[in-house]
Amino acid sequence: MANGTAQSSVTLRTDAWWISPLITAIVLGSFGIYSTWRAFSNVDFLVQPYLSPFYSPYILASWWPFSPALLILWAPLGFRATCYYYRKAYYRSFFMAPPGCAVKPMAKSGSYTGESKFPFILQNIHRYFFYAAGVVLFFLWVDAFHALWFEDGFGIGLGTIVLFVNVVLLSMYSLSCHSFRHLVGGRLNLFSKYPTRFKLWEKISGWNEHHMLWAWVSLFSVALADLYIFLLAKGIITDVRFI
Amino acid sequence: MSVAKLRIYRGDSNGGQEVEYEVPIEEGMVVLDAILFIQANYDGDLAVRWNCKAAKCGSCSAEINGMPKLTCKTRLDTLPLDKPITVHPVKTFPIMKDLVTDVSWNYEVRKKIPPFKYAEDTDWKMQQVDVERSQEFRKCIECFLCQDVCHILRDHNEKNEFFGPRMMIKIAELEMHPLDIEDRKPMLREAAGIGYCNITKCCTDICPEGIHITDNAIIPLKERVADTYFDPLQWIITKIKGS
């Protein structure tokens, strides 16, 4: 009974509070393993006209001996790692800081500094990863439109739809970002002086309420888009052409 | 008539234990009703702080089945009644007797926040669009459940380093006020310890007023601190603009 309070146990909660962080850890961990394998593999990422989002933009650099994906993925990885939603997710699931509300954290009392010290103080540069991920997102849109042009001309395949759905979901995730919301209008105190920025801020605030949803669906879509192209490249499946 | 079993913490700063009571269930009954029944019929000396019984005074905060909640807003029919319901005092603050804790630390911290400051030539006409954002934070009933669930205060006991979520929304209310000219960012970064918050959102999850503490107050404040201390681009823009 520290500090004269009435509880000393891990938690008095009787519900299954541990399910949510466990599922998050499994899904995020699985994505981490899959994306690391695909990023380092450097094969089966291009089936004309489809390019895997992990390798977009495709950089052919003679001076770079490793997978070109490694030249790109730091940007979306940094964007997600410093994302305000994912911070909640991995602080709870991996760092157990805390694993659930009103559940004792793993770190010992006196050792906690949160995001006030290195390395977590770097979370404050989230906006710079937003800018970098925005550049990658631009190329993903280019790839999606490129996926409309087959060897025999204009067409729409299942891969085209997969890439478009992916880039739309990634765009929603990026546009609902807390830092973007702040930069667009959140930093203002006099909205009435800036009606356009206020309208934009209102719109982004609406998307921001579902930032968690966009974070998850875009994570799945980017992995599934890559998997689709990988399976095509391996010859395990064949693309369906609608037009 | 069906009965609910309640295990209520009885004790003071020297220690205590759960005591089990049986209470007849009536339609619409809340946990505070059950506690008042016990007080009236079994133990008249059971200490509980309450006032409005309408979720507006913020007095009856406690931990029901381990979760910080208002006892007046927690209906028995929302709880599993096959097991005893545990009711403990809030963990973060020192116990005085039974369910009553000493929350005076919050009022001491509140005094450290610089009050509203206006310019000499202030035009007091304000647009609704400019004050709307701050009005969300004025819904706070000071139940201090957010302070209780915050692991920085609750488990790490960093009361000298972090003001807590309730104070963050107070600061946000002032910082976002269209006519306020005080700059609280240095205090936010240092004395208020906003860097300690790791965005696990428990404060938002348990707020009985539904205030978006993390998304609308703490994250925007973190972004404002980032503008000043972690963003060289913003720093240059501010210097060029001369504001």
Side-chain angles (χ1 to χ4, degrees), chain B residues 58 64 72 93 119 227:
Chain B
I64 300 163
C72 74
F93 302 108
D227 280 348

Side-chain angles (χ1 to χ4, degrees), chain A residues 67-79:
Chain A
S67 166
L70 303 179
L71 291 169
I72 304 151
L73 289 182
W74 62 270
L77 175 68
F79 183 46

Side-chain angles (χ1 to χ4, degrees), chain B residues 3-7 20-23 25 81 83-86:
Chain B
V3 293
K5 285 182 181 173
L6 280 89
R7 294 179 65 89
E20 190 165 303
Y21 301 94
E22 284 192 356
V23 175
I25 299 173
L81 295 174
K83 285 179 281 189
I85 299 160
T86 62

Side-chain angles (χ1 to χ4, degrees), chain B residues 69-84:
Chain B
K69 288 178 178 178
L70 293 179
T71 58
C72 74
K73 205 182 175 185
T74 309
R75 287 174 63 125
L76 289 185
D77 57 15
T78 63
L79 301 168
L81 295 174
D82 53 332
K83 285 179 281 189

Side-chain angles (χ1 to χ4, degrees), chain B residues 187-241:
Chain B
M187 186 207 61
L188 266 171
R189 194 181 175 207
E190 299 298 331
I194 195 166
Y196 271 73
C197 173
N198 67 343
I199 317 289
T200 45
K201 280 189 138 179
C202 290
C203 51
T204 303
D205 290 350
I206 57 88
C207 178
E209 284 296 304
I211 301 170
H212 297 88
I213 301 172
T214 323
D215 290 309
N216 288 352
I218 297 179
I219 292 173
L221 289 177
K222 272 184 175 263
E223 287 294 315
R224 287 180 182 216
V225 169
D227 280 348
T228 306
Y229 296 103
F230 300 101
D231 187 346
L233 201 60
Q234 283 292 338
W235 186 81
I236 291 166
I237 292 168
T238 309
K239 284 286 171 198
I240 291 168
K241 279 185 174 175

